[in-house]
């Protein structure tokens, strides 16, 4: 019978083998590595470190910190104002989230019906319902944004500073020549909405715009990306039917509109004004814009009819003057002929 081997002796032998292997690997690595690391040169020791860029290379230097929410809202509002030629301003009073959701639902349904009506008539107008938005705004930031859009002219600011016109797109706020722009935020070539040039241009114009007195308290804005009186009328008939004078949907035609949560939310909305192609309209003028039949096509047709009627009236006036002169001369000629007849008869009898 072979002798028994204890387990502890086997474990000790395995531990000894592993230790020997570790020592051998360490000695091989130290032999392969250089004995002494080279010291840094004098140029490396005296050279200053490269400055850390405050902004990434894909972002324009800004006077306002772009990481703040206020800066992002300012860029959002300036883009909204530039791309929305028709805006309706409302005052809201503590609407709940469910009330906002129900109001936006009914508004979307009404605007989609307008798109369907335009398509059924065969007009080539694009569908605007997916791009019309009703949103709350921060009035102080929106007031600054509208000052930048109305009063800040980037090319004029760059020319005044002796710089070439800016290559920054005012809507996308991006530059095609970003590497050529200096890294300093005080560079006068920077003329985007968050630049120091824009800040200096509108700093002393607070309260100058007409909407400055209206943007007080809780404000909501309905933005339409095209001047469409039909969409505006549909929106006002949903949001403020009493103030605008447009008929609201009937209970039979749209029973969801008469839900208590929708009506409770609509009671907290008030129509203030509208901005159409850069001009501020009061409530009466807003009603007139919404009452244009046929939208912009109908307005163009009315303009053509007015010009045609004006031309026909001018033509009739000129023709009337000529006709009256002709009739006057004809009547005078007949009178002279009658006066000459007795004299001729006398001479013939004699």
């Amino acid at each position: 019978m072979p002798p028994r081997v204890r387990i502890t002796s086997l474990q000790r032998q395995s531990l000894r083998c592993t230790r020997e292997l570790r020592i051998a690997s360490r000695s091989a690595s130290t032999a392969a590595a250089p004995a002494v690391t080279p010291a840094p040169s004098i140029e490396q020791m005296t050279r200053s470190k490269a400055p850390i860029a405050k902004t990434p290379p894909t972002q324009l230097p800004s006077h306002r910190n772009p990481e703040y929410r206020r800066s992002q809202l300012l860029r959002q509002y300036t883009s909204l104002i530039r791309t929305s030629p028709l805006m309706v301003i409302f005052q809201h009073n503590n609407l709940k989230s469910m009330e906002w959701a129900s109001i936006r639902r009914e508004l979307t349904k009404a605007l989609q019906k307008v798109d369907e009506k335009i398509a059924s008539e065969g007009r080539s107008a694009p569908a605007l319902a997916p791009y019309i938005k009703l949103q709350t705004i921060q009035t102080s930031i929106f007031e600054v944004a509208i000052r930048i859009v109305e009063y800040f002219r980037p090319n004029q600011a760059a020319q005044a500073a002796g710089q070439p016109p800016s290559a920054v797109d005012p809507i996308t706020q991006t530059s095609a020549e970003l590497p050529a722009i200096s890294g300093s935020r005080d560079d006068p070539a920077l003329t985007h909405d968050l630049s120091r040039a824009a800040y200096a241009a509108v700093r002393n114009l607070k309260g100058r715009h007409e909407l400055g007195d209206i943007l007080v308290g809780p404000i909501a804005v309905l933005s339409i990306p095209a001047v469409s009186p039909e969409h505006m009328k549909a929106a006002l008939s949903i949001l403020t039917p009493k103030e605008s004078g447009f008929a609201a949907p009937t209970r039979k035609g749209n029973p969801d509109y008469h839900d208590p949560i929708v009506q409770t939310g609509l009671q907290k909305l008030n129509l203030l004004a509208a901005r159409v192609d850069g001009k501020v309209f009061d409530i009466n003028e807003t009603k007139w814009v919404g009452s244009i039949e046929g939208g912009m096509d109908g307005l163009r047709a009315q303009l053509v009819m007015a010009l045609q009627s004006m031309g026909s009236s001018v033509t009739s006036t000129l023709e009337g003057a000529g006709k009256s002169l002709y009739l006057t001369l004809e009547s005078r000629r007949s009178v002279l002929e009658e006066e000459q007849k007795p004299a001729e008869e006398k001479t013939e009898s004699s």
Side-chain angles (χ1 to χ4, degrees):
M1 185 174 182
R4 297 181 179 179
V5 181
R6 295 181 180 179
I7 299 175
T8 56
S9 62
L10 293 174
Q11 291 178 351
R12 289 175 183 175
Q13 290 178 2
S14 63
L15 289 173
R16 287 176 184 176
C17 293
T18 54
R19 287 176 183 175
E20 291 176 356
L21 291 173
R22 289 178 182 175
I23 293 170
S25 62
R26 287 177 183 176
S27 61
S29 62
T30 53
V36 179
T37 57
S41 62
I42 297 175
E43 294 180 355
Q44 293 178 356
M45 296 174 63
T46 57
R47 187 185 301 169
S48 61
K49 295 182 179 180
I52 301 174
K54 295 183 180 180
T55 58
T58 57
Q59 179 178 318
L60 295 172
S62 304
H63 171 70
R64 305 173 188 268
N65 192 345
E67 297 178 357
Y68 293 162
R69 184 173 180 270
R70 293 174 62 88
S71 302
Q72 296 299 324
L73 285 177
L74 180 61
R75 296 183 62 182
Q76 178 184 351
Y77 291 159
T78 53
S79 178
L80 179 69
I81 294 169
R82 289 189 179 102
T83 57
S84 301
L86 180 56
M87 301 176 67
V88 187
I89 302 172
F90 302 91
Q91 184 180 17
H92 65 91
N93 185 14
N94 297 327
L95 270 78
K96 300 179 181 178
S97 59
M98 293 298 295
E99 293 172 349
W100 276 118
S102 59
I103 290 174
R104 289 191 176 100
R105 180 195 66 208
E106 298 301 323
L107 179 63
T108 303
K109 289 167 59 178
L111 296 174
Q112 288 176 355
K113 290 181 180 178
V114 176
D115 289 339
E116 293 173 358
K117 179 183 177 182
I118 293 175
S120 63
E121 293 177 355
R123 287 187 281 172
S124 60
L128 300 179
Y131 308 103
I132 299 175
K133 295 182 179 180
L134 177 65
Q135 59 182 347
T136 59
I137 61 171
Q138 291 193 11
T139 54
S140 58
I141 304 176
F142 192 85
E143 195 268 338
V144 176
I146 202 164
R147 272 190 282 151
I148 291 175
V149 174
E150 292 290 342
Y151 302 121
F152 178 54
R153 299 294 179 265
N155 294 335
Q156 294 179 5
Q159 291 175 2
Q163 299 291 334
S166 175
V168 178
D169 190 356
I171 297 177
T172 60
Q173 294 295 305
T174 57
S175 174
E177 301 177 357
L178 186 61
I181 296 177
S182 175
S184 174
R185 65 179 184 178
D186 298 330
D187 190 355
L190 298 173
T191 55
H192 55 91
D193 291 342
L194 300 181
S195 62
R196 179 158 291 185
Y199 169 76
V202 302
R203 178 177 55 185
N204 299 324
L205 299 176
K206 186 175 182 180
R208 185 75 62 85
H209 198 268
E210 296 177 342
L211 289 177
D213 298 333
I214 300 175
L215 298 175
V216 178
I219 299 296
V221 172
L222 176 71
S223 58
I224 304 176
V227 181
S228 176
E230 294 174 316
H231 289 85
M232 182 178 179
K233 179 180 179 180
L236 293 178
S237 64
I238 294 294
L239 300 175
T240 55
K242 294 182 179 179
E243 296 179 3
S244 62
F246 300 124
T250 61
R251 187 180 296 272
K252 183 178 180 180
N254 189 2
D256 295 337
Y257 177 77
H258 296 273
D259 288 344
I261 188 171
V262 178
Q263 295 300 318
T264 303
L266 293 177
Q267 292 176 1
K268 302 176 184 179
L269 279 177
N270 295 319
L271 178 62
L272 295 180
R275 182 177 180 270
V276 184
D277 282 338
K279 297 181 180 180
V280 180
F281 286 11
D282 58 5
I283 296 178
N284 294 327
E285 293 172 338
T286 304
K287 293 179 183 178
W288 173 78
V289 173
S291 62
I292 298 174
E293 296 294 336
M296 294 302 296
D297 296 336
L299 184 61
R300 295 188 186 97
Q302 293 179 9
L303 179 61
V304 170
M305 291 177 62
L307 293 176
Q308 289 179 351
S309 62
M310 185 182 299
S312 62
S313 63
V314 171
T315 304
S316 62
T317 302
L318 295 175
E319 289 179 354
K323 288 180 180 179
S324 63
L325 179 61
Y326 173 75
L327 294 174
T328 303
L329 293 176
E330 286 292 327
S331 62
R332 182 61 179 169
R333 185 174 66 84
S334 61
V335 170
L336 292 175
E337 289 179 352
E338 291 179 357
E339 291 178 353
Q340 291 176 358
K341 283 182 180 180
E344 291 178 354
E345 291 177 356
K346 290 179 181 179
T347 54
E348 289 178 356
S349 60
S350 62

